Amino acid sequence: MRRLVVVGSVVVVALVALAIAAIVRGGGGGDKTVQTVAGHRITEKDLGLTVEHFHEVADREGKPFPAKGTDGYKRVEKISLGLLIDRAAVQAAAGRIGVHVTEAQVDARAGSASGESEGGGDIRVVAEAAFGRATARTQLITEAAFRKLTAGVRVRSDEVRAYYGAHRSLYGARSFARVAPAIRSQLLSARKNAVLTRWLAQVRSREPKPRLED
């Protein structure tokens, strides 16, 4: 249980940067490419839906949203593009280590069997549907990458005992045998989370900067 809680916190951090990316399945069809990342096209439609999601969030929170064409709107576009780039880069990096996510998996996680709500209707509905699928996809990719990258991570018995000795005051009268499983789990979680954090940092260090036409 502790491992899942700790891993979940890393996934949430990752999602802050990744989940906003809104990719509409089957989109394209002449849609202008804004930027390409590892062979993945980020289109004007993708960017527009991501900005629209921010607009929807601002409205829900009762906050003003900058008008199109203003410097404030351009800043939102740049932030949105940066997040789309981040998602594409992480997904591509996951693919290079053999991690892939199917549409059926995304449907199951997003709670949508077909995703037809993304194909038309009010722009706010489309944007929020795309955001929901992007969130689901990001969760699945990050979780699968975590499992792949940390499959061989182990904690030795002497490391567990060394930790117990160095933090003896934390355990009072409890014997080593009694607390050893919890210590091992704690050390293993920290080690695995560090692996994922390093991997994400390496991926992001190589991401291209967002480029938007004035």
PDB file of all heavy atoms in Angstrom, residues 140-171:
ATOM      1  N   LEU A 140      -1.714   5.865 -17.916  1.00  0.00           N
ATOM      2  CA  LEU A 140      -1.341   4.523 -18.360  1.00  0.00           C
ATOM      3  C   LEU A 140       0.113   4.450 -18.816  1.00  0.00           C
ATOM      4  O   LEU A 140       0.840   3.512 -18.467  1.00  0.00           O
ATOM      5  CB  LEU A 140      -2.265   4.079 -19.502  1.00  0.00           C
ATOM      6  CG  LEU A 140      -3.710   3.795 -19.104  1.00  0.00           C
ATOM      7  CD1 LEU A 140      -4.615   3.764 -20.338  1.00  0.00           C
ATOM      8  CD2 LEU A 140      -3.812   2.481 -18.340  1.00  0.00           C
ATOM      9  N   ILE A 141       0.547   5.447 -19.573  1.00  0.00           N
ATOM     10  CA  ILE A 141       1.927   5.467 -20.052  1.00  0.00           C
ATOM     11  C   ILE A 141       2.904   5.573 -18.891  1.00  0.00           C
ATOM     12  O   ILE A 141       3.907   4.854 -18.826  1.00  0.00           O
ATOM     13  CB  ILE A 141       2.130   6.634 -21.042  1.00  0.00           C
ATOM     14  CG1 ILE A 141       1.415   6.341 -22.362  1.00  0.00           C
ATOM     15  CG2 ILE A 141       3.616   6.893 -21.289  1.00  0.00           C
ATOM     16  CD1 ILE A 141       1.395   7.508 -23.322  1.00  0.00           C
ATOM     17  N   THR A 142       2.629   6.479 -17.977  1.00  0.00           N
ATOM     18  CA  THR A 142       3.536   6.683 -16.855  1.00  0.00           C
ATOM     19  C   THR A 142       3.610   5.451 -15.959  1.00  0.00           C
ATOM     20  O   THR A 142       4.693   5.049 -15.522  1.00  0.00           O
ATOM     21  CB  THR A 142       3.100   7.909 -16.029  1.00  0.00           C
ATOM     22  OG1 THR A 142       2.935   9.030 -16.893  1.00  0.00           O
ATOM     23  CG2 THR A 142       4.134   8.238 -14.968  1.00  0.00           C
ATOM     24  N   GLU A 143       2.465   4.860 -15.694  1.00  0.00           N
ATOM     25  CA  GLU A 143       2.439   3.669 -14.851  1.00  0.00           C
ATOM     26  C   GLU A 143       3.180   2.507 -15.514  1.00  0.00           C
ATOM     27  O   GLU A 143       3.931   1.773 -14.860  1.00  0.00           O
ATOM     28  CB  GLU A 143       0.992   3.281 -14.550  1.00  0.00           C
ATOM     29  CG  GLU A 143       0.285   4.260 -13.629  1.00  0.00           C
ATOM     30  CD  GLU A 143      -1.230   4.100 -13.643  1.00  0.00           C
ATOM     31  OE1 GLU A 143      -1.721   3.120 -14.276  1.00  0.00           O
ATOM     32  OE2 GLU A 143      -1.919   4.936 -13.022  1.00  0.00           O
ATOM     33  N   ALA A 144       2.960   2.333 -16.832  1.00  0.00           N
ATOM     34  CA  ALA A 144       3.626   1.246 -17.546  1.00  0.00           C
ATOM     35  C   ALA A 144       5.136   1.485 -17.641  1.00  0.00           C
ATOM     36  O   ALA A 144       5.931   0.549 -17.514  1.00  0.00           O
ATOM     37  CB  ALA A 144       3.026   1.095 -18.943  1.00  0.00           C
ATOM     38  N   ALA A 145       5.528   2.723 -17.864  1.00  0.00           N
ATOM     39  CA  ALA A 145       6.958   3.050 -17.898  1.00  0.00           C
ATOM     40  C   ALA A 145       7.597   2.789 -16.538  1.00  0.00           C
ATOM     41  O   ALA A 145       8.721   2.274 -16.446  1.00  0.00           O
ATOM     42  CB  ALA A 145       7.149   4.512 -18.303  1.00  0.00           C
ATOM     43  N   PHE A 146       6.877   3.130 -15.486  1.00  0.00           N
ATOM     44  CA  PHE A 146       7.371   2.872 -14.130  1.00  0.00           C
ATOM     45  C   PHE A 146       7.649   1.377 -13.932  1.00  0.00           C
ATOM     46  O   PHE A 146       8.710   0.983 -13.455  1.00  0.00           O
ATOM     47  CB  PHE A 146       6.354   3.368 -13.111  1.00  0.00           C
ATOM     48  CG  PHE A 146       6.721   3.081 -11.682  1.00  0.00           C
ATOM     49  CD1 PHE A 146       7.501   3.960 -10.957  1.00  0.00           C
ATOM     50  CD2 PHE A 146       6.281   1.913 -11.068  1.00  0.00           C
ATOM     51  CE1 PHE A 146       7.837   3.687  -9.633  1.00  0.00           C
ATOM     52  CE2 PHE A 146       6.606   1.627  -9.748  1.00  0.00           C
ATOM     53  CZ  PHE A 146       7.391   2.523  -9.033  1.00  0.00           C
ATOM     54  N   ARG A 147       6.682   0.549 -14.319  1.00  0.00           N
ATOM     55  CA  ARG A 147       6.862  -0.894 -14.152  1.00  0.00           C
ATOM     56  C   ARG A 147       8.030  -1.414 -14.980  1.00  0.00           C
ATOM     57  O   ARG A 147       8.802  -2.253 -14.513  1.00  0.00           O
ATOM     58  CB  ARG A 147       5.568  -1.621 -14.542  1.00  0.00           C
ATOM     59  CG  ARG A 147       4.416  -1.386 -13.583  1.00  0.00           C
ATOM     60  CD  ARG A 147       3.257  -2.340 -13.875  1.00  0.00           C
ATOM     61  NE  ARG A 147       2.680  -2.116 -15.191  1.00  0.00           N
ATOM     62  CZ  ARG A 147       1.676  -1.272 -15.421  1.00  0.00           C
ATOM     63  NH1 ARG A 147       1.167  -0.545 -14.434  1.00  0.00           N
ATOM     64  NH2 ARG A 147       1.183  -1.139 -16.634  1.00  0.00           N
ATOM     65  N   LYS A 148       8.153  -0.920 -16.204  1.00  0.00           N
ATOM     66  CA  LYS A 148       9.221  -1.376 -17.101  1.00  0.00           C
ATOM     67  C   LYS A 148      10.596  -0.974 -16.573  1.00  0.00           C
ATOM     68  O   LYS A 148      11.528  -1.785 -16.529  1.00  0.00           O
ATOM     69  CB  LYS A 148       8.999  -0.767 -18.487  1.00  0.00           C
ATOM     70  CG  LYS A 148      10.027  -1.161 -19.530  1.00  0.00           C
ATOM     71  CD  LYS A 148       9.663  -2.463 -20.175  1.00  0.00           C
ATOM     72  CE  LYS A 148      10.559  -2.764 -21.370  1.00  0.00           C
ATOM     73  NZ  LYS A 148      10.130  -3.978 -22.073  1.00  0.00           N
ATOM     74  N   LEU A 149      10.715   0.272 -16.174  1.00  0.00           N
ATOM     75  CA  LEU A 149      12.010   0.801 -15.750  1.00  0.00           C
ATOM     76  C   LEU A 149      12.478   0.247 -14.416  1.00  0.00           C
ATOM     77  O   LEU A 149      13.675   0.189 -14.147  1.00  0.00           O
ATOM     78  CB  LEU A 149      11.932   2.332 -15.663  1.00  0.00           C
ATOM     79  CG  LEU A 149      11.753   3.083 -16.986  1.00  0.00           C
ATOM     80  CD1 LEU A 149      11.319   4.521 -16.719  1.00  0.00           C
ATOM     81  CD2 LEU A 149      13.034   3.048 -17.801  1.00  0.00           C
ATOM     82  N   THR A 150      11.547  -0.144 -13.573  1.00  0.00           N
ATOM     83  CA  THR A 150      11.916  -0.548 -12.212  1.00  0.00           C
ATOM     84  C   THR A 150      11.800  -2.049 -11.974  1.00  0.00           C
ATOM     85  O   THR A 150      11.907  -2.510 -10.836  1.00  0.00           O
ATOM     86  CB  THR A 150      11.039   0.185 -11.178  1.00  0.00           C
ATOM     87  OG1 THR A 150       9.665  -0.209 -11.346  1.00  0.00           O
ATOM     88  CG2 THR A 150      11.157   1.692 -11.333  1.00  0.00           C
ATOM     89  N   ALA A 151      11.604  -2.812 -13.049  1.00  0.00           N
ATOM     90  CA  ALA A 151      11.391  -4.255 -12.892  1.00  0.00           C
ATOM     91  C   ALA A 151      12.557  -4.935 -12.173  1.00  0.00           C
ATOM     92  O   ALA A 151      12.360  -5.901 -11.436  1.00  0.00           O
ATOM     93  CB  ALA A 151      11.172  -4.897 -14.260  1.00  0.00           C
ATOM     94  N   GLY A 152      13.774  -4.437 -12.382  1.00  0.00           N
ATOM     95  CA  GLY A 152      14.933  -5.085 -11.778  1.00  0.00           C
ATOM     96  C   GLY A 152      15.442  -4.430 -10.506  1.00  0.00           C
ATOM     97  O   GLY A 152      16.496  -4.830  -9.977  1.00  0.00           O
ATOM     98  N   VAL A 153      14.718  -3.447  -9.998  1.00  0.00           N
ATOM     99  CA  VAL A 153      15.175  -2.737  -8.802  1.00  0.00           C
ATOM    100  C   VAL A 153      14.959  -3.615  -7.568  1.00  0.00           C
ATOM    101  O   VAL A 153      13.883  -4.172  -7.367  1.00  0.00           O
ATOM    102  CB  VAL A 153      14.439  -1.394  -8.638  1.00  0.00           C
ATOM    103  CG1 VAL A 153      14.836  -0.710  -7.336  1.00  0.00           C
ATOM    104  CG2 VAL A 153      14.719  -0.491  -9.832  1.00  0.00           C
ATOM    105  N   ARG A 154      15.987  -3.724  -6.743  1.00  0.00           N
ATOM    106  CA  ARG A 154      15.922  -4.548  -5.539  1.00  0.00           C
ATOM    107  C   ARG A 154      16.533  -3.807  -4.355  1.00  0.00           C
ATOM    108  O   ARG A 154      17.268  -2.827  -4.525  1.00  0.00           O
ATOM    109  CB  ARG A 154      16.685  -5.861  -5.740  1.00  0.00           C
ATOM    110  CG  ARG A 154      16.175  -6.737  -6.872  1.00  0.00           C
ATOM    111  CD  ARG A 154      14.842  -7.376  -6.533  1.00  0.00           C
ATOM    112  NE  ARG A 154      14.407  -8.296  -7.582  1.00  0.00           N
ATOM    113  CZ  ARG A 154      13.688  -7.943  -8.642  1.00  0.00           C
ATOM    114  NH1 ARG A 154      13.331  -6.663  -8.799  1.00  0.00           N
ATOM    115  NH2 ARG A 154      13.321  -8.829  -9.544  1.00  0.00           N
ATOM    116  N   VAL A 155      16.239  -4.277  -3.163  1.00  0.00           N
ATOM    117  CA  VAL A 155      16.848  -3.765  -1.930  1.00  0.00           C
ATOM    118  C   VAL A 155      17.464  -4.956  -1.202  1.00  0.00           C
ATOM    119  O   VAL A 155      16.771  -5.936  -0.911  1.00  0.00           O
ATOM    120  CB  VAL A 155      15.815  -3.067  -1.028  1.00  0.00           C
ATOM    121  CG1 VAL A 155      16.453  -2.677   0.302  1.00  0.00           C
ATOM    122  CG2 VAL A 155      15.245  -1.832  -1.721  1.00  0.00           C
ATOM    123  N   ARG A 156      18.739  -4.883  -0.912  1.00  0.00           N
ATOM    124  CA  ARG A 156      19.423  -5.980  -0.247  1.00  0.00           C
ATOM    125  C   ARG A 156      19.107  -6.016   1.251  1.00  0.00           C
ATOM    126  O   ARG A 156      18.800  -4.988   1.860  1.00  0.00           O
ATOM    127  CB  ARG A 156      20.936  -5.877  -0.444  1.00  0.00           C
ATOM    128  CG  ARG A 156      21.397  -5.886  -1.895  1.00  0.00           C
ATOM    129  CD  ARG A 156      22.919  -6.039  -1.972  1.00  0.00           C
ATOM    130  NE  ARG A 156      23.601  -5.111  -1.088  1.00  0.00           N
ATOM    131  CZ  ARG A 156      23.965  -3.872  -1.426  1.00  0.00           C
ATOM    132  NH1 ARG A 156      23.684  -3.417  -2.640  1.00  0.00           N
ATOM    133  NH2 ARG A 156      24.594  -3.091  -0.569  1.00  0.00           N
ATOM    134  N   SER A 157      19.247  -7.184   1.823  1.00  0.00           N
ATOM    135  CA  SER A 157      18.964  -7.343   3.256  1.00  0.00           C
ATOM    136  C   SER A 157      19.892  -6.491   4.110  1.00  0.00           C
ATOM    137  O   SER A 157      19.469  -5.934   5.134  1.00  0.00           O
ATOM    138  CB  SER A 157      19.106  -8.817   3.648  1.00  0.00           C
ATOM    139  OG  SER A 157      18.128  -9.599   2.985  1.00  0.00           O
ATOM    140  N   ASP A 158      21.161  -6.362   3.682  1.00  0.00           N
ATOM    141  CA  ASP A 158      22.090  -5.567   4.481  1.00  0.00           C
ATOM    142  C   ASP A 158      21.728  -4.084   4.436  1.00  0.00           C
ATOM    143  O   ASP A 158      21.979  -3.344   5.391  1.00  0.00           O
ATOM    144  CB  ASP A 158      23.530  -5.778   4.012  1.00  0.00           C
ATOM    145  CG  ASP A 158      23.743  -5.339   2.574  1.00  0.00           C
ATOM    146  OD1 ASP A 158      22.931  -5.723   1.708  1.00  0.00           O
ATOM    147  OD2 ASP A 158      24.716  -4.612   2.318  1.00  0.00           O
ATOM    148  N   GLU A 159      21.089  -3.642   3.355  1.00  0.00           N
ATOM    149  CA  GLU A 159      20.655  -2.254   3.260  1.00  0.00           C
ATOM    150  C   GLU A 159      19.480  -2.008   4.207  1.00  0.00           C
ATOM    151  O   GLU A 159      19.382  -0.940   4.819  1.00  0.00           O
ATOM    152  CB  GLU A 159      20.251  -1.926   1.820  1.00  0.00           C
ATOM    153  CG  GLU A 159      21.419  -1.933   0.839  1.00  0.00           C
ATOM    154  CD  GLU A 159      20.970  -1.737  -0.595  1.00  0.00           C
ATOM    155  OE1 GLU A 159      19.993  -2.379  -0.998  1.00  0.00           O
ATOM    156  OE2 GLU A 159      21.612  -0.938  -1.315  1.00  0.00           O
ATOM    157  N   VAL A 160      18.613  -2.990   4.323  1.00  0.00           N
ATOM    158  CA  VAL A 160      17.493  -2.878   5.247  1.00  0.00           C
ATOM    159  C   VAL A 160      18.004  -2.799   6.681  1.00  0.00           C
ATOM    160  O   VAL A 160      17.577  -1.946   7.470  1.00  0.00           O
ATOM    161  CB  VAL A 160      16.541  -4.079   5.096  1.00  0.00           C
ATOM    162  CG1 VAL A 160      15.408  -4.003   6.126  1.00  0.00           C
ATOM    163  CG2 VAL A 160      15.955  -4.129   3.684  1.00  0.00           C
ATOM    164  N   ARG A 161      18.950  -3.675   7.008  1.00  0.00           N
ATOM    165  CA  ARG A 161      19.489  -3.669   8.372  1.00  0.00           C
ATOM    166  C   ARG A 161      20.254  -2.372   8.653  1.00  0.00           C
ATOM    167  O   ARG A 161      20.169  -1.821   9.767  1.00  0.00           O
ATOM    168  CB  ARG A 161      20.398  -4.875   8.595  1.00  0.00           C
ATOM    169  CG  ARG A 161      20.906  -4.991  10.027  1.00  0.00           C
ATOM    170  CD  ARG A 161      21.554  -6.322  10.293  1.00  0.00           C
ATOM    171  NE  ARG A 161      20.601  -7.411  10.367  1.00  0.00           N
ATOM    172  CZ  ARG A 161      19.881  -7.694  11.443  1.00  0.00           C
ATOM    173  NH1 ARG A 161      19.960  -6.940  12.529  1.00  0.00           N
ATOM    174  NH2 ARG A 161      19.051  -8.721  11.444  1.00  0.00           N
ATOM    175  N   ALA A 162      20.971  -1.868   7.667  1.00  0.00           N
ATOM    176  CA  ALA A 162      21.716  -0.626   7.856  1.00  0.00           C
ATOM    177  C   ALA A 162      20.764   0.540   8.123  1.00  0.00           C
ATOM    178  O   ALA A 162      21.035   1.400   8.967  1.00  0.00           O
ATOM    179  CB  ALA A 162      22.574  -0.331   6.630  1.00  0.00           C
ATOM    180  N   TYR A 163      19.653   0.562   7.418  1.00  0.00           N
ATOM    181  CA  TYR A 163      18.662   1.615   7.638  1.00  0.00           C
ATOM    182  C   TYR A 163      18.073   1.509   9.037  1.00  0.00           C
ATOM    183  O   TYR A 163      17.905   2.518   9.734  1.00  0.00           O
ATOM    184  CB  TYR A 163      17.551   1.523   6.587  1.00  0.00           C
ATOM    185  CG  TYR A 163      16.556   2.657   6.669  1.00  0.00           C
ATOM    186  CD1 TYR A 163      16.736   3.819   5.917  1.00  0.00           C
ATOM    187  CD2 TYR A 163      15.439   2.580   7.507  1.00  0.00           C
ATOM    188  CE1 TYR A 163      15.835   4.870   5.995  1.00  0.00           C
ATOM    189  CE2 TYR A 163      14.539   3.618   7.598  1.00  0.00           C
ATOM    190  CZ  TYR A 163      14.735   4.765   6.840  1.00  0.00           C
ATOM    191  OH  TYR A 163      13.848   5.796   6.924  1.00  0.00           O
ATOM    192  N   TYR A 164      17.780   0.300   9.448  1.00  0.00           N
ATOM    193  CA  TYR A 164      17.233   0.080  10.787  1.00  0.00           C
ATOM    194  C   TYR A 164      18.209   0.581  11.842  1.00  0.00           C
ATOM    195  O   TYR A 164      17.817   1.270  12.795  1.00  0.00           O
ATOM    196  CB  TYR A 164      16.962  -1.408  10.987  1.00  0.00           C
ATOM    197  CG  TYR A 164      16.491  -1.791  12.362  1.00  0.00           C
ATOM    198  CD1 TYR A 164      15.183  -1.552  12.766  1.00  0.00           C
ATOM    199  CD2 TYR A 164      17.354  -2.412  13.264  1.00  0.00           C
ATOM    200  CE1 TYR A 164      14.737  -1.918  14.032  1.00  0.00           C
ATOM    201  CE2 TYR A 164      16.919  -2.773  14.534  1.00  0.00           C
ATOM    202  CZ  TYR A 164      15.615  -2.524  14.915  1.00  0.00           C
ATOM    203  OH  TYR A 164      15.188  -2.875  16.168  1.00  0.00           O
ATOM    204  N   GLY A 165      19.492   0.277  11.655  1.00  0.00           N
ATOM    205  CA  GLY A 165      20.495   0.716  12.617  1.00  0.00           C
ATOM    206  C   GLY A 165      20.655   2.222  12.649  1.00  0.00           C
ATOM    207  O   GLY A 165      20.836   2.818  13.717  1.00  0.00           O
ATOM    208  N   ALA A 166      20.587   2.857  11.480  1.00  0.00           N
ATOM    209  CA  ALA A 166      20.767   4.304  11.398  1.00  0.00           C
ATOM    210  C   ALA A 166      19.559   5.078  11.899  1.00  0.00           C
ATOM    211  O   ALA A 166      19.676   6.264  12.238  1.00  0.00           O
ATOM    212  CB  ALA A 166      21.078   4.701   9.955  1.00  0.00           C
ATOM    213  N   HIS A 167      18.397   4.426  11.967  1.00  0.00           N
ATOM    214  CA  HIS A 167      17.166   5.101  12.395  1.00  0.00           C
ATOM    215  C   HIS A 167      16.524   4.352  13.568  1.00  0.00           C
ATOM    216  O   HIS A 167      15.303   4.300  13.699  1.00  0.00           O
ATOM    217  CB  HIS A 167      16.174   5.184  11.228  1.00  0.00           C
ATOM    218  CG  HIS A 167      16.707   5.924  10.043  1.00  0.00           C
ATOM    219  ND1 HIS A 167      17.515   5.335   9.101  1.00  0.00           N
ATOM    220  CD2 HIS A 167      16.554   7.221   9.649  1.00  0.00           C
ATOM    221  CE1 HIS A 167      17.828   6.223   8.166  1.00  0.00           C
ATOM    222  NE2 HIS A 167      17.263   7.372   8.476  1.00  0.00           N
ATOM    223  N   ARG A 168      17.377   3.822  14.408  1.00  0.00           N
ATOM    224  CA  ARG A 168      16.921   2.963  15.501  1.00  0.00           C
ATOM    225  C   ARG A 168      15.885   3.656  16.383  1.00  0.00           C
ATOM    226  O   ARG A 168      14.924   3.021  16.852  1.00  0.00           O
ATOM    227  CB  ARG A 168      18.121   2.542  16.355  1.00  0.00           C
ATOM    228  CG  ARG A 168      17.822   1.481  17.388  1.00  0.00           C
ATOM    229  CD  ARG A 168      17.499   0.158  16.711  1.00  0.00           C
ATOM    230  NE  ARG A 168      17.083  -0.848  17.693  1.00  0.00           N
ATOM    231  CZ  ARG A 168      15.872  -0.946  18.204  1.00  0.00           C
ATOM    232  NH1 ARG A 168      14.921  -0.083  17.846  1.00  0.00           N
ATOM    233  NH2 ARG A 168      15.579  -1.883  19.068  1.00  0.00           N
ATOM    234  N   SER A 169      16.036   4.951  16.602  1.00  0.00           N
ATOM    235  CA  SER A 169      15.127   5.661  17.508  1.00  0.00           C
ATOM    236  C   SER A 169      13.694   5.707  16.992  1.00  0.00           C
ATOM    237  O   SER A 169      12.755   5.927  17.751  1.00  0.00           O
ATOM    238  CB  SER A 169      15.630   7.086  17.737  1.00  0.00           C
ATOM    239  OG  SER A 169      15.659   7.814  16.513  1.00  0.00           O
ATOM    240  N   LEU A 170      13.510   5.490  15.684  1.00  0.00           N
ATOM    241  CA  LEU A 170      12.171   5.532  15.106  1.00  0.00           C
ATOM    242  C   LEU A 170      11.333   4.323  15.492  1.00  0.00           C
ATOM    243  O   LEU A 170      10.094   4.379  15.446  1.00  0.00           O
ATOM    244  CB  LEU A 170      12.257   5.604  13.570  1.00  0.00           C
ATOM    245  CG  LEU A 170      12.892   6.848  12.951  1.00  0.00           C
ATOM    246  CD1 LEU A 170      12.972   6.679  11.437  1.00  0.00           C
ATOM    247  CD2 LEU A 170      12.086   8.094  13.304  1.00  0.00           C
ATOM    248  N   TYR A 171      11.993   3.246  15.884  1.00  0.00           N
ATOM    249  CA  TYR A 171      11.291   1.980  16.039  1.00  0.00           C
ATOM    250  C   TYR A 171      11.107   1.540  17.488  1.00  0.00           C
ATOM    251  O   TYR A 171      10.466   0.523  17.746  1.00  0.00           O
ATOM    252  CB  TYR A 171      12.017   0.892  15.239  1.00  0.00           C
ATOM    253  CG  TYR A 171      12.148   1.270  13.789  1.00  0.00           C
ATOM    254  CD1 TYR A 171      13.358   1.694  13.253  1.00  0.00           C
ATOM    255  CD2 TYR A 171      11.030   1.259  12.951  1.00  0.00           C
ATOM    256  CE1 TYR A 171      13.460   2.072  11.928  1.00  0.00           C
ATOM    257  CE2 TYR A 171      11.119   1.644  11.624  1.00  0.00           C
ATOM    258  CZ  TYR A 171      12.348   2.049  11.119  1.00  0.00           C
ATOM    259  OH  TYR A 171      12.434   2.438   9.810  1.00  0.00           O
TER     260      TYR A 171
END
